[in-house]
Amino acid sequence: MYRRWKKILMILVGIITALYTHGVNADAQETIREPEQLYALSACLMDAESGRVLFEKEGSVHRANASTTKIMTLILTLERADLGETVTVSERAARQPDVQLNMNSGEEYRLEDLCYSMMLESHNDSAVAIAEHVGGSVEAFADLMNEKAKEIGCEQTYFITPNGLDESDGTNFHGTTAIDLAKIMSYCVMHSPKAAQFLEITRTQNYSFQDLSGKRSFSCQNHNAFLQMMEGALSGKTGFTADAGYCYVGALERDGRTFVVALLGCGWPNHKTYKWKDCKTLFSYGIENYDYQTFEQPLGSWEYAVTGGASESGDPFELPVVRLEEENHEPIRLLLRSDESIECENQLDFDATAPVMLGQKGGEVRYYLRKADSSRQLIYRADIYTKNEVKEKNLAYDLCFLLTNFFK
């Protein structure tokens, strides 16, 4: 009998062990692995619509960013100038180092043509000529660039030149972070009022033009090879300097989702292709793991009995009630991984003492992103307001009630 029970017990242990192992393996299969072996010193994958960072590697480290700077130069130009304006080339612009259009001081060009020259061929002289025309000087234009960066939400960006050449002014060196650069590109392709023009210029494959005298002709070819590497590639800008290494910032749209990748310090010669490998890795990670989810929770409502308040019925012994409601807002729509969710908490801070004014703030509802590691990120706040007023009860109110009831 003992051997029989021992055998049954061993079989049960085997079954339980097998089930446990299967459960562990199943959980392991569901674990989402983030990109691990990137070449870039700094990298960021961002949801262009919300600005949420989906992945980052040293994303907040300030680094030189080379010609990726020119996306800021372009969007500022589009927002502040008419592309039909005439640009006169200065001596400073004409003597910029390679890569250059090789313009001569005193020549005149159409602003739009120089924008294509700057973005397709990354010409440094065109960038300076544009900056001087739009801002009055390179220094004044750099101030506009930094103001715009702050407006977009960049926290560690410092621009000195419109073309991204390595430079320091004693305060800081020209550069940005991967997260800030992704914010700038997200703005350029989705949120700027000139986003359509930005995309049109940066996606053009070939462009030809002349100076305004008609004596010189130029032809530009787009050097953003990534536009042909992945389905949905929208825009991008390459860059390289000795300090920055190979850099890239690009945007891709797939199934209604727009992702932005920013790479800084992604190899030095002879590793020009590293940036394309990192781009594919990060964009693929976003496409495979993030989908839009909509969080629709009924708007909250609360009721409080108000101390010292006058009731609508006029009865001094009746405690009046104030109603509070969460302000109306659209459902929250966000790119989420399958192991992420949205949670909400009520933060009420309301003194239910008369008088209570209509529309008085009584707290807020906070919406959090719950991440896979159980950490939370605040993503949205909705205020809570009173929906009715409650006047303060006083002696005149009590007397009115007594007199009214006495003469009934």
Side-chain angles (χ1 to χ4, degrees), residues 23-34 36 285 289 337-339 372:
V24 170
N25 290 338
D27 288 342
Q29 290 174 359
E30 292 175 2
T31 300
I32 299 173
R33 296 180 65 88
E34 293 188 337
E36 294 177 344
Y285 168 73
N289 293 292
R337 289 194 336 190
S338 59
D339 53 2

Side-chain angles (χ1 to χ4, degrees), residues 321-332:
V321 172
V322 63
R323 297 179 301 279
L324 292 89
E325 290 185 7
E326 178 183 353
E327 65 178 331
N328 189 46
H329 59 83
E330 295 294 325
I332 297 174

